[in-house]
Amino acid sequence: MILDIINKKANNYELTKEELETIFMGYLKDEVKDYQMSAFLMAICINDMSDSEIFALTDIFIRSGEVLDLSFIDAIKVDKHSTGGVGDKTTLIVAPLVASCNVPVIKMSGRGLGYTGGTIDKLESIPGFKVDLTEEKIRRQAKEIGIVITSQTKDLAPLDKKVYALRDVTATTNSIPLIASSIMSKKIAGGADKIVIDIKVGNGALIKTMEDAKRLESLLIKIGTYYQKEVRTVISNMDRPLGHNIGNKLEVLEALDVLKGKEKGKLLDLSLELASKMVSMGKGISTEAAMKEVKENIKTGKALNKFLEFIKYQHGDIDNLEIDAKVYNIKANKSGILKDINALSIAKLSESLGAGRKNKDDKIDYNAGIIIKKEIGDEIKEGDILASLYTNIDNKEFNLERIFEIS
Ligand code: URA
């Protein structure tokens, strides 16, 4: 039976929901083996999925676990998701910014696998910050301050988790239908009413081409419509890192700078775009009116105050956030104009400094990371500092190839 289903997909026939359920739920129960699921996932990568197969798979993922009930919050709950990028600390900026506009943000976030940490890792780099909240605490905090970011309390879409772990090691991560059902199943199980999704495209992202990004966008919106959840999207570039800081504690410091109004540029612009979409959806106002409100809340310090209130409420001590690591400066070996900063190479370097994890039990060094000191288009003189690297690994040899392009 399992072989018939794999064969059917390998021969490019459409599968029924029952067939998808048999193979995927069989995998969750360990009745279908890793090697069988690997072959099946590769057949999906090669032959794609129809819309009805994608809806069916999303449903199977959702029903494999629990669904969070956030109905105790008497307002529209808007969630945000990013398909993952280098230096992407927008959640740290956007969540308090949106909450400061009186749109509640209750977010379950994850630890990261791969080159950089996830939002929970970034928050955990703040001394004392608690990420494991009970449901009772989530309720109280949501009512009192309108913002909660916690690690997953419930077993949301466990089948997606198991399948994703296998995709990660079988070169099957980049299938657009698999990405769409993976993201939407988690968001729907997370209990949000409306969802904003930041689709990253470029060399430092899972999605490499605009064509794929557009297809993913259309699928995410279609799945949302099927579940009566409004989905809005942003497609943002990930050929270059987002902002200047990469690494967990360094990213918290940069998020603080943005909220203090000290940093302009792509990171601020993207954060404003995401936040204004969320506020627009949460309040039912135009994106222009929402944009005005979020900009005002950065200017007046309301968003910063909400961030500080949120960190304190979850027991974090942000007053003395210092980087405890050795610093190595990368200097330019020639003069010219800075043409490019390669996101993927920066991500690999950052992981090699200790800022990411390859396996889920690896320990992250919260202090490790990179601060990029120059902007694209800057005139560079030989010997200028291009970036500072922070690490606690002794005698480290850095791979600096293909990071900065100067010509
Ligand atoms: N993010 C997810 O949650 N799942 C994917 O498959 C890709 C990005």
Side-chain angles (χ1 to χ4, degrees):
M1 178 66 174
I2 295 302
L3 283 191
D4 293 339
I5 298 171
I6 300 172
N7 251 320
K8 199 169 163 187
K9 191 73 219 165
N11 288 307
N12 205 11
Y13 290 105
E14 188 178 44
L15 297 177
T16 63
K17 182 160 187 186
E18 289 65 39
E19 286 166 330
L20 286 166
E21 187 135 11
T22 302
I23 187 158
F24 277 104
M25 289 310 289
Y27 184 57
L28 186 63
K29 291 185 233 151
D30 289 329
E31 290 159 12
V32 171
K33 304 296 169 206
D34 276 349
Y35 49 81
Q36 293 171 313
M37 185 48 82
S38 305
F40 182 63
L41 291 170
M42 188 53 84
I44 291 178
C45 282
I46 293 166
N47 286 331
D48 214 330
M49 288 177 114
S50 67
D51 283 2
S52 61
E53 286 177 314
I54 296 168
F55 291 155
L57 180 57
T58 309
D59 203 52
I60 294 165
F61 279 157
I62 295 171
R63 285 188 296 102
S64 72
E66 293 171 88
V67 175
L68 213 62
D69 180 5
L70 296 178
S71 57
F72 63 91
I73 298 161
D74 190 18
I76 292 173
K77 277 79 59 187
V78 188
D79 201 354
K80 159 197 177 282
H81 185 81
S82 156
T83 58
V86 186
D88 185 358
K89 70 280 289 171
T90 50
T91 294
L92 301 177
I93 301 162
V94 167
L97 180 51
V98 171
S100 77
C101 299
N102 299 320
V103 173
V105 179
I106 294 95
K107 215 173 148 40
M108 306 261 150
S109 285
R111 291 191 170 76
L113 253 192
Y115 299 125
T116 53
T119 299
I120 287 297
D121 296 308
K122 292 169 198 180
L123 287 168
E124 266 188 337
S125 75
I126 302 167
F129 192 90
K130 299 259 178 298
V131 296
D132 298 314
L133 305 182
T134 59
E135 272 194 72
E136 182 46 39
K137 283 196 175 141
I138 295 173
R139 275 166 198 267
R140 192 173 347 121
Q141 186 171 333
K143 284 212 168 107
E144 284 181 15
I145 65 167
I147 171 169
V148 184
I149 304 181
T150 171
S151 55
Q152 226 165 270
T153 51
K154 297 213 170 182
D155 212 7
L156 308 182
L159 175 57
D160 169 64
K161 198 168 174 187
K162 187 164 180 189
V163 171
Y164 195 83
L166 187 65
R167 285 169 58 204
D168 214 24
V169 292
T170 54
T172 52
T173 45
N174 61 357
S175 148
I176 301 298
L178 291 177
I179 296 173
S181 37
S182 164
I183 293 175
M184 288 305 288
S185 61
K186 280 178 295 210
K187 292 290 110 180
I188 290 162
D193 302 308
K194 302 187 179 220
I195 305 150
V196 174
I197 300 175
D198 181 8
I199 301 171
K200 303 280 188 201
V201 56
N203 73 51
L206 197 53
I207 296 134
K208 309 285 182 205
T209 66
M210 193 47 104
E211 192 189 343
D212 279 353
K214 289 271 180 208
R215 171 149 189 242
L216 180 60
E217 177 179 54
S218 140
L219 280 175
L220 295 170
I221 292 170
K222 270 195 216 166
I223 299 172
T225 308
Y226 183 80
Y227 286 92
Q228 295 174 326
K229 311 257 181 198
E230 186 187 353
V231 173
R232 292 198 206 166
T233 54
V234 172
I235 298 181
S236 64
N237 182 278
M238 195 30 75
D239 285 325
R240 294 167 184 161
L242 189 59
H244 299 106
N245 294 15
I246 296 98
N248 299 282
K249 204 186 276 181
L250 287 167
E251 293 193 31
V252 174
L253 288 168
E254 189 174 23
L256 260 174
D257 278 349
V258 172
L259 289 166
K260 284 177 183 167
K262 286 192 194 165
E263 187 171 314
K264 309 275 179 250
K266 291 236 162 70
L267 175 59
L268 171 67
D269 294 345
L270 179 60
S271 302
L272 292 174
E273 192 178 354
L274 293 166
S276 58
K277 281 199 159 62
M278 290 173 77
V279 170
S280 154
M281 290 162 101
K283 290 189 158 179
I285 58 175
S286 70
T287 318
E288 293 72 28
M291 180 61 97
K292 231 172 124 187
E293 197 173 336
V294 297
K295 278 186 173 166
E296 186 67 16
N297 282 8
I298 296 258
K299 209 162 114 195
T300 58
K302 259 181 110 173
L304 173 66
N305 288 340
K306 185 53 79 179
F307 182 71
L308 298 176
E309 184 184 21
F310 149 67
I311 298 295
K312 199 164 164 204
Y313 206 102
Q314 289 188 221
H315 306 281
D317 175 10
I318 204 155
D319 293 337
N320 304 301
L321 206 60
E322 276 171 19
I323 300 297
D324 181 15
K326 288 185 256 333
V327 188
Y328 300 85
N329 289 324
I330 307 183
K331 294 189 178 161
N333 55 10
K334 63 174 177 178
S335 300
I337 302 292
L338 181 58
K339 290 278 167 61
D340 199 13
I341 305 171
N342 186 293
L344 183 59
S345 307
I346 283 274
K348 288 181 180 169
L349 176 62
S350 159
E351 188 195 338
S352 78
L353 300 172
R357 58 166 81 76
K358 284 199 183 77
N359 299 302
K360 75 176 171 29
D361 298 325
D362 290 353
K363 241 180 129 42
I364 277 191
D365 177 359
Y366 294 128
N367 293 287
I370 303 166
I371 299 183
I372 298 167
K373 302 281 188 181
K374 298 285 183 192
E375 307 277 346
I376 303 289
D378 279 359
E379 198 178 323
I380 309 289
K381 289 201 187 63
E382 188 179 339
D384 279 356
I385 296 175
L386 298 173
S388 298
L389 312 186
Y390 294 81
T391 187
N392 286 302
I393 301 174
D394 288 326
N395 304 320
K396 184 87 196 111
E397 295 231 339
F398 308 116
N399 182 1
L400 305 178
E401 259 173 71
R402 297 200 316 115
I403 292 184
F404 292 98
E405 188 192 321
I406 300 169
S407 61

